[in-house]
């Protein structure tokens, strides 16, 4: 009877051992596949692809940063060149600085359109009077000169050369009158500063744009000052 029991125990132990060995072999096979279609190889492939994508992304970022740096450098160089040109232009005689702008008073006489064209060629435009302080500055020049105000597009609708409408004005008394009192110059659509006035804020006069006067150019470039 004892021999029979011992034999059964041995058989059971053998089965358990075989099951354990089989499980170990399955784990080993699943972890380290021997075939080309094993999940381990696929995992390694995915890691390699991911690493490659990271490398490509890093290269792209490096190129982007370099391009951005080059653009910033070029922008700084361009701003410096513009500043140098700006300062060189206004270091010449004829330009006067007031607040953040520069002003050029011509020595010759031209029509309003010709005067404006000269200002444009200088990188400026006819002066725009948009503050009481600037009006007083121009008054102190004591010049009969064109400014950048006209109603040539629509009679009575005064606009500055930059297209903004007139808000605050400094007309001489009874002006503008569109030349009603001067029959030889019908239609007065452009504005000059009248010199010899005793009131700084009453110096504007509308006259015919074909008359010839000196003019005042204005250049404002706050970013470069």
């Amino acid at each position: 009877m004892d021999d029979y029991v011992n034999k059964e125990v041995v058989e059971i132990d053998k089965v358990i051992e075989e099951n354990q060995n089989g499980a170990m072999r399955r784990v080993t096979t699943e972890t380290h596949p021997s075939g080309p279609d094993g999940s381990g190889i696929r995992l390694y492939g995915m890691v390699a692809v991911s690493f490659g994508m990271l490398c490509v992304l890093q290269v792209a970022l490096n190129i982007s940063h370099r391009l951005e740096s080059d653009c910033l450098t070029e922008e700084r160089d361009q701003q410096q060149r513009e500043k140098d040109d700006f300062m060189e232009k206004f270091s010449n005689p004829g330009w006067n600085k007031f607040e953040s702008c520069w002003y050029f008073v011509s020595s010759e006489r031209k029509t309003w359109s010709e005067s404006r064209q000269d200002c444009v060629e200088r990188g400026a435009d006819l002066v725009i009077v948009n503050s009481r302080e600037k009006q007083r500055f121009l008054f102190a020049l004591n010049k009969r000169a064109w400014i950048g105000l006209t109603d040539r597009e629509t009679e009575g609708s005064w606009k500055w050369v930059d297209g903004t409408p007139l808000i605050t004005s400094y007309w001489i008394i009874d002006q503008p009158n569109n030349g009603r009192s001067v029959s030889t110059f019908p239609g007065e659509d452009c504005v000059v500063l009248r010199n010899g006035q005793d009131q700084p804020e009453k110096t504007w006069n509308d006259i015919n744009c074909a008359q010839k006067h000196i003019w005042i150019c204005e250049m404002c470039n706050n970013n470069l000052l």
Side-chain angles (χ1 to χ4, degrees), residues 50-202:
S50 299
F51 182 75
M53 293 177 65
L54 288 175
C55 291
V56 172
L57 179 60
Q58 184 62 50
V59 171
L61 289 174
N62 291 340
I63 294 175
S64 177
H65 290 160
R66 178 173 297 179
L67 290 175
E68 182 179 0
S69 177
D70 292 343
C71 289
L72 291 175
T73 301
E74 177 62 25
E75 183 178 353
R76 287 195 298 267
D77 293 344
Q78 179 65 25
Q79 290 179 347
Q80 185 61 46
R81 287 193 296 269
E82 291 177 356
K83 183 176 181 179
D84 293 342
D85 293 342
F86 185 79
M87 298 308 297
E88 180 180 359
K89 175 184 294 184
F90 297 114
S91 65
N92 296 327
W95 288 92
N96 298 293
K97 190 175 186 297
F98 175 71
E99 294 183 341
S100 61
C101 299
W102 290 81
Y103 299 87
F104 172 82
V105 181
S106 72
S107 59
E108 56 182 324
R109 300 174 183 272
K110 293 184 177 183
T111 67
W112 188 90
S113 295
E114 292 171 342
S115 299
R116 186 185 183 192
Q117 181 61 35
D118 178 85
C119 290
V120 172
E121 291 175 356
R122 295 175 186 272
D125 211 331
L126 287 173
V127 61
I128 295 174
V129 186
N130 50 15
S131 71
R132 179 174 299 178
E133 292 73 20
K134 188 184 294 187
Q135 169 65 19
R136 288 179 172 269
F137 163 73
L138 297 175
F139 171 81
L141 297 177
N142 195 28
K143 302 290 185 181
R144 185 178 178 86
W146 291 120
I147 63 175
L149 185 63
T150 179
D151 70 342
R152 292 193 302 179
E153 291 184 1
T154 303
E155 181 61 35
S157 179
W158 295 94
K159 292 183 179 181
W160 295 105
V161 288
D162 65 353
T164 56
L166 174 64
I167 298 177
T168 303
S169 59
Y170 302 98
W171 298 106
I172 296 174
I173 296 175
D174 297 329
Q175 299 295 330
N177 63 5
N178 197 34
R180 289 189 298 270
S181 61
V182 184
S183 59
T184 55
F185 291 105
E188 297 181 342
D189 300 326
C190 297
V191 180
V192 292
L193 296 172
R194 285 282 297 273
N195 60 331
Q197 305 300 304
D198 58 0
Q199 300 184 60
E201 296 173 19
K202 294 186 182 298

